[in-house]
Amino acid sequence: MADDKTIHPYDKAAGGWDALRSSWQALRDQQVVFKGAHTLLRANQPKGFDCPGCAWPDRNAHSTFEFCENGVKAVANEATSKRVTHEFFAQHAVAWLARQDDHFLEAQGRLTEPMAYDAATDRYVPVGWDEAFATIATALNGLASPDEAIFYTSGRTSNEAAFLYQLFVREYGTNNLPDCSNMCHEASGVALTEQLGSGKGSVTLEDFEQADAIFIFGQNPGTNHPRMLGELRSAAKRGCRIVAFNPLRERGLERFADPKAPAEMLGASTRIASEYYQPRIGGDLAVATALCKVVVERGAVDRIFIDAHTRGFDAFADALRETSWDALERESGLGRAQLEEAAQVYIDSLATIVCWGMGITQHPRSVATIQMLANLLLLRGNIGKPGAGPCPVRGHSNVQGDRTMGIYEQPSPAFLDRLGAAFDFQPPRKHGYDTIAAIEAMHDGRAKVFFAMGGNFAAATPDTARTHEALRRCALTVHVSTKLNRSHVVHGRNALILPCLGRTEIDVQASGPQAVTVEDSMSMVHLSSGMNPPASGQLLSEPAIVARLATATLPRSRTPWMQLVEHYDGIRDRIAQVIDGFDDFNARVRVPGGFHLHHPGRECVFPTASGKAHFFPHALGSAAKPNDLFQLMTVRSHDQYNTTVYGLDDRYRGVHGVRKVCFISAHDLQRLGWNDGDTVDIVSVWHDGERSVHGFRLVEYDIPHGCLAAYFPETNALVPLDHHAERARTPASKSIPVRLARTAAA
């Protein structure tokens, strides 16, 4: 039986009073009740800071409360009164810290000064900034080739820092710029660029006000993008049909009580999904194919749009007709009647948005699935009209902006030409390492220096044992960070921690306080200005860190690095010279709310090689699977954002005080003869052997039989490094073949 101390099934709507209580508790835990509350009034405001959490767009201050529960946790975590000083590191050996869990590491507070690893004492010790930059420069300039260095980027990095960072890396001589996009929405970019000519979504918040239907695939907005629930609530209340496809029943897709709505705080709530379907894990390609098949076979296509703006329809339609319903039902895990019902909602809609998250992008067939979703939109002309279009909902607050700024291991020749002309150098042309290739290069000795601009690489990446071994084989690892995390205790022979300003903090340079810019998931670019004093007088901004690193490493560079960081307008002027869509950057971004980067698809312009959008057929091609294997998907808890674990609860799924849980269906428990609450080991089965995690508690949950779910990063160890999306190489963390074994008695 389930232990009542840890498992409490949740029967309330998402949001509501529990969201407010959790927000209040987060401020209390970080000891910033008054400071945090004051800070939050500037979150996502035109003259405030962009929330360091998700990339959901802002409503430009229609309300002073433009934040969500998880945004409160992100802000509280950054504005915390807790500090990690040199005294903390003097008290704790790295080996001891490495034995602590991720929640403990993050909970210690803000880093306050640069630190260097001392192997003799197994501790981090203080180091001056000049010495730290000299150490990095010596290591980089001592390599046999610039390609022996890897420069990782987190999605929280500002546009200004990202632009300077990629410029420095390319002046140094490599395109080794892996980033978190490689691990999340790379499949979206690959699929949409090939099909529509742009790797970004085309919709804006205004489209959510005009859509007749919103289809949501593989996304849990209640935890991962809670402010999206406000848009979905408004859409549902005006009669928009919201159709959800997700293996797990997620409370945020079922019902929502808006904390800003008095009636809902008194007990009412809004139903979000009008239809909710639970395909099996990995079944979304079959779902999208089935929806397309029904549209075609019922003659509901928009031939005027198709003839004017697309290519490949006839071959695509023929492929659909040849796809059997038996295969579609088997692969999707849904019945024909369910699939036809969902397709009819789409046919009846005059304007449809299709949203998706990492529940789509982290599968072997993710590119094919996304292209099938785009096929669905093209069939009825749902691109280039109000209330319609593709909407990949990205995670971190500037992950899309970082890619726009040139953080990419495969830059286009046109981009490199403009960059070289603007800064008078010859950028390298050879493609660099993506995240998976970077791990492989470190592991086999082809890469010797690892530099991370933010993030938590050791915890975010797949194949944990191999990744950790790869990092430890480096001669030097460097992490620009605000908080202590796993990557600081999984380090190279030499290691540095460089503490930086957070998004909520005032950034003062030679000309005075500065603002940075970010790009949200719908291509809106806007300013972000911190308001709190820095956590320490020794913190540097990310642009300043890049400028000082470049000055130390590239003495012959013609770029005026230190001059550029005196006033960030200078960086933005250079961005305008290089990046399409940023003309008159400084003036346009100072308009309240910023500006929208043009998406050609909004005007039915598709900059592909043919000048048209393309239909792409994709065979299901499912191989037979052993009967004893499950498909496991890794998920976040509600007290978590990416690898940052704010607490040990997952309120909406009813889990409290524990993270080593495995969600399983009642059908599978009965089939195995096991009970809710039993403890198991999870073993992934791959061509190169097995990988195991131990001591996970089974939790009965509403999930299709044959499917499991568990939290990351605890289960990242199960994801083989070569188990990734075809062509996009995103780790296939949402479809891991595993078996379960009873945990042996201690």
Side-chain angles (χ1 to χ4, degrees):
M1 296 293 292
D3 180 352
D4 289 337
K5 295 181 180 179
T6 56
I7 308 299
H8 303 279
Y10 194 75
D11 59 1
K12 302 178 186 177
W17 286 109
D18 284 345
L20 293 183
R21 278 189 284 268
S22 179
S23 299
W24 172 257
Q25 187 61 48
L27 297 174
R28 288 186 58 191
D29 289 346
Q30 299 302 328
Q31 302 168 10
V32 288
V33 171
F34 297 108
K35 174 185 175 182
H38 180 61
T39 302
L40 285 163
L41 295 179
R42 290 275 296 275
N44 302 316
Q45 301 293 323
K47 294 185 179 180
F49 63 91
D50 192 71
C51 177
C54 78
W56 189 254
D58 303 335
R59 270 292 175 187
N60 298 332
H62 289 183
S63 161
T64 54
F65 299 99
E66 290 297 321
F67 52 85
C68 64
E69 175 189 347
N70 278 5
V72 173
K73 294 172 185 175
V75 169
N77 236 36
E78 182 171 291
T80 180
S81 66
K82 301 175 184 179
R83 299 290 182 264
V84 177
T85 66
H86 64 269
E87 288 92 347
F88 173 88
F89 287 110
Q91 294 170 6
H92 302 296
V94 171
W96 183 86
L97 290 171
R99 293 193 294 271
Q100 311 312 305
D101 63 22
D102 294 283
H103 179 232
F104 172 88
L105 296 177
E106 291 272 358
Q108 300 313 301
R110 289 290 301 277
L111 297 161
T112 60
E113 56 196 306
M115 306 295 292
Y117 179 67
D118 176 42
T121 62
D122 188 35
R123 282 168 167 77
Y124 279 100
V125 297
V127 63
W129 279 108
D130 287 343
E131 184 181 350
F133 290 126
T135 297
I136 303 168
T138 298
L140 292 176
N141 290 329
L143 296 175
S145 164
D147 291 331
E148 292 184 343
I150 291 167
F151 299 90
Y152 177 75
T153 317
S154 159
R156 55 145 284 171
T157 305
S158 69
N159 287 330
E160 291 73 18
F163 182 79
L164 287 187
Y165 189 51
Q166 64 81 29
L167 173 63
F168 159 68
V169 171
R170 292 187 167 111
E171 283 200 28
Y172 172 67
T174 185
N175 285 311
N176 285 347
L177 282 160
D179 71 327
C180 56
S181 288
N182 296 150
M183 293 187 285
C184 57
H185 269 278
E186 196 70 62
S188 299
V190 170
L192 296 179
T193 299
E194 182 178 55
Q195 193 162 18
L196 307 178
S198 173
K200 300 180 181 181
S202 66
V203 304
T204 66
L205 284 182
E206 287 69 30
D207 290 308
F208 276 76
E209 298 171 356
Q210 301 174 69
D212 284 342
I214 301 170
F215 279 60
I216 302 174
F217 289 84
Q219 187 195 359
N220 177 19
T223 288
N224 300 330
H225 308 89
R227 283 191 296 141
M228 183 180 179
L229 292 183
E231 301 299 330
L232 296 177
R233 171 183 176 272
S234 296
K237 290 180 81 67
R238 64 174 174 79
C240 176
R241 300 288 290 274
I242 298 174
V243 183
F245 290 90
N246 197 313
L248 290 170
R249 298 293 297 191
E250 300 288 15
R251 186 51 45 87
L253 288 170
E254 295 176 315
R255 289 184 289 128
F256 175 53
D258 189 345
K260 292 184 288 186
E264 296 191 357
M265 295 303 286
L266 292 174
S269 64
T270 299
R271 180 184 178 187
I272 299 300
S274 50
E275 287 83 19
Y276 200 128
Y277 303 101
Q278 293 176 260
R280 71 172 186 83
I281 290 173
D284 298 282
L285 175 58
V287 170
T289 303
L291 300 182
C292 290
K293 181 178 176 70
V294 176
V295 173
V296 169
E297 293 185 346
R298 293 187 180 178
V301 301
D302 184 341
R303 286 301 314 212
I304 295 175
F305 177 90
I306 289 170
D307 292 343
H309 300 295
T310 73
R311 284 192 172 184
F313 169 74
D314 291 336
F316 175 66
D318 289 343
L320 291 175
R321 295 185 186 100
E322 294 172 2
T323 304
S324 73
W325 275 107
D326 285 346
L328 292 170
E329 289 182 298
R330 181 179 64 252
E331 292 303 307
S332 69
L334 300 176
R336 178 172 179 173
Q338 293 174 295
L339 294 166
E340 290 183 328
E341 177 186 59
Q344 191 60 49
V345 174
Y346 179 69
I347 291 169
D348 292 341
S349 170
L350 298 178
T352 303
I353 294 171
V354 173
C355 304
W356 65 90
M358 289 196 295
I360 294 297
T361 64
Q362 291 188 324
H363 292 273
R365 303 294 307 283
S366 57
V367 171
T369 302
I370 293 163
Q371 291 190 334
M372 196 61 72
L373 294 175
N375 289 335
L376 181 65
L377 290 167
L378 292 172
L379 284 175
R380 290 185 51 76
N382 275 311
I383 299 178
K385 67 180 180 184
C391 182
V393 184
R394 289 174 166 86
H396 238 154
S397 64
N398 198 41
V399 62
Q400 185 162 299
D402 287 352
R403 181 56 61 86
T404 301
M405 291 297 107
I407 301 293
Y408 188 34
E409 75 280 357
Q410 300 181 45
S412 71
F415 169 79
L416 294 177
D417 289 343
R418 293 193 300 270
L419 187 69
F423 290 93
D424 193 20
F425 79 108
Q426 292 296 322
R429 301 283 165 160
K430 176 185 174 184
H431 285 176
Y433 297 135
D434 62 13
T435 296
I436 288 174
I439 295 168
E440 293 170 337
M442 289 186 288
H443 192 271
D444 66 19
R446 286 177 289 121
K448 298 177 174 62
V449 173
F450 177 83
F451 189 105
M453 182 61 69
N456 185 358
F457 191 85
T461 42
D463 215 338
T464 303
R466 190 172 182 188
T467 296
H468 287 191
E469 185 178 2
L471 288 167
R472 290 182 173 119
R473 290 183 178 184
C474 289
L476 175 66
T477 53
V478 184
H479 294 276
V480 178
S481 307
T482 58
K483 304 284 288 292
L484 186 66
N485 64 43
R486 181 65 51 194
S487 295
H488 303 137
V489 298
V490 181
H491 54 78
R493 293 189 296 278
N494 294 299
L496 291 164
I497 301 173
L498 307 183
C500 66
L501 293 172
R503 189 74 62 78
T504 61
E505 292 172 322
I506 302 169
D507 178 359
V508 178
Q509 301 299 328
S511 64
Q514 303 297 308
V516 295
T517 62
V518 297
E519 177 186 346
D520 64 34
S521 198
M522 294 183 188
S523 302
M524 287 296 298
V525 180
H526 53 273
L527 288 169
S528 176
S529 304
M531 59 173 291
N532 291 331
S536 164
Q538 294 198 54
L539 304 185
L540 295 181
S541 73
E542 288 179 324
I545 288 173
V546 176
R548 291 185 63 174
L549 174 59
T551 300
T553 307
L554 307 172
R556 295 183 178 84
S557 172
R558 297 182 179 91
T559 300
W561 297 99
M562 299 310 298
Q563 181 182 332
L564 286 173
V565 296
E566 290 178 359
H567 198 303
Y568 294 171
D569 278 5
I571 305 174
R572 289 187 280 270
D573 285 338
R574 297 301 191 101
I575 291 172
Q577 290 180 259
V578 177
I579 310 294
D580 288 338
F582 285 83
D583 299 335
D584 205 15
F585 190 2
N586 277 305
R588 292 164 67 205
V589 82
R590 283 181 166 83
V591 174
F595 63 93
H596 184 257
L597 288 174
H598 174 69
H599 190 292
R602 292 183 67 81
E603 284 77 46
C604 292
V605 174
F606 302 104
T608 62
S610 69
K612 301 286 185 73
H614 288 256
F615 284 97
F616 286 109
H618 292 285
L620 299 182
S622 176
K625 301 174 181 63
N627 291 331
D628 64 336
L629 291 186
F630 290 88
Q631 288 290 309
L632 170 74
M633 60 187 290
T634 67
V635 297
R636 297 171 179 161
S637 76
H638 192 62
D639 259 358
Q640 175 182 359
Y641 193 76
N642 291 343
T643 59
T644 301
V645 179
Y646 300 127
L648 300 179
D649 294 344
D650 191 359
R651 184 171 75 249
Y652 296 153
R653 298 189 185 111
V655 177
H656 299 271
V658 61
R659 288 184 56 83
K660 293 180 69 173
V661 298
C662 179
F663 299 103
I664 185 171
S665 72
H667 175 277
D668 286 323
L669 283 174
Q670 183 178 13
R671 177 176 62 86
L672 294 170
W674 293 353
N675 297 307
D676 180 28
D678 285 351
T679 303
V680 299
D681 299 339
I682 311 174
V683 184
S684 64
V685 180
W686 200 238
H687 65 84
D688 63 351
E690 297 182 342
R691 295 162 175 81
S692 302
V693 293
H694 305 285
F696 279 66
R697 175 181 179 151
L698 292 176
V699 174
E700 182 181 325
Y701 204 78
D702 191 350
I703 185 173
H705 65 83
C707 300
L708 305 171
Y711 303 132
F712 71 84
E714 288 83 356
T715 50
N716 286 356
L718 299 173
V719 187
L721 201 60
D722 61 348
H723 182 42
H724 51 67
E726 298 167 1
R727 297 200 289 145
R729 290 167 58 85
T730 48
S733 302
K734 298 295 186 285
S735 54
I736 312 165
V738 303
R739 60 179 176 82
L740 299 179
R742 288 189 183 273
T743 298

